[in-house]
Amino acid sequence: MFQLSKKVEYGLIVLRHMAMKPRGQVFTAKELANEYEIPYELLAKVLQKLAKSGIVVSMQGVKGGYALGQKPEAIIVSDIIRVIEKERPMLAGCYVDGPLSCSIFDICTIRKPLEKIQKNINSLFDKMTIQEIV
Amino acid sequence: MFQLSKKVEYGLIVLRHMAMKPRGQVFTAKELANEYEIPYELLAKVLQKLAKSGIVVSMQGVKGGYALGQKPEAIIVSDIIRVIEKERPMLAGCYVDGPLSCSIFDICTIRKPLEKIQKNINSLFDKMTIQEIV
DNA sequence: TAATATAGGACTACTGTAGTCGTATTTATG
DNA sequence: CATAAATACGACTACAGTAGTCCTATATTA
């Protein structure tokens, strides 16, 4: 429980890889998947999501691939997670899906107190950039 | 993803409940389950785990039930989680189950950087006690 | 036109979680 | 001492989310 998904891990790994090479260099999903022994199709989808959000830029066709879309120090870990998972890492389901998602929302006594921890966690992911995992 | 389990939520809710009442007061799993609309059998198991670890004390038989085993300010949230889930909240599976649990452990480049965030999260849960969610 | 790359939807398999059920044991009390 | 009410606990089921696969379409270079 309480773990980042494999998709997020794969995303972080390849973004870091790109960040370590000269700016603008292009990588194919295939070579990245080989390098890190990541299932190709899965990584491809991750890269497509990162591309849609501009974290990487994609080029189709022969000689295509992906390159970083921003400077490593501008790529925030919490953005990466949100792009890949469509949500921040949340301690409780009700933080994500609201009152209707929890049968005891009204009488829950721990939602507010846990928000303190939630905020702190948010700030950890907000502060870390790809630059810092190079 | 990245959420505390319902069991942990239920555990926190009832421990807080107990902490708000006079020291030594005894509560049955049934009344706690009713009060917070928690499935009785599930809550019972949570309480049994908390009892085994001494966070609560249990008394069998008629007029039995559970009472807090320690002062609210001595009951640490991270201990509650560990007792109920048998592990801390971990960002990555390999932090829990070691190298053999991850096919790319050796070539993973993000394990160490993420440990910084992991440590910060640990400390958040280590610092919060039941006293603070009353 | 062929080869190579991204784009993306549909599908399967697996795992973990939430919740249920059944039964044994303990203990207060009439 | 019998009964009722409580904890103790293992086995089981149902469901949801994740990881991973497959297939086809589209773009681009040579």
Side-chain angles (χ1 to χ4, degrees), chain B residues 5-6 10 39 41-42 45 60-62:
Chain B
S5 68
K6 282 286 175 188
Y10 297 154
E41 296 90 343
L42 195 50
K45 288 198 183 162
Q60 284 197 333
V62 180

Side-chain angles (χ1 to χ4, degrees), chain A residues 5-6 10 39 41-42 45 60-63:
Chain A
S5 69
K6 282 286 175 188
Y10 297 154
E41 296 90 344
L42 195 50
K45 289 200 181 159
Q60 284 197 334
V62 180
K63 299 249 173 189

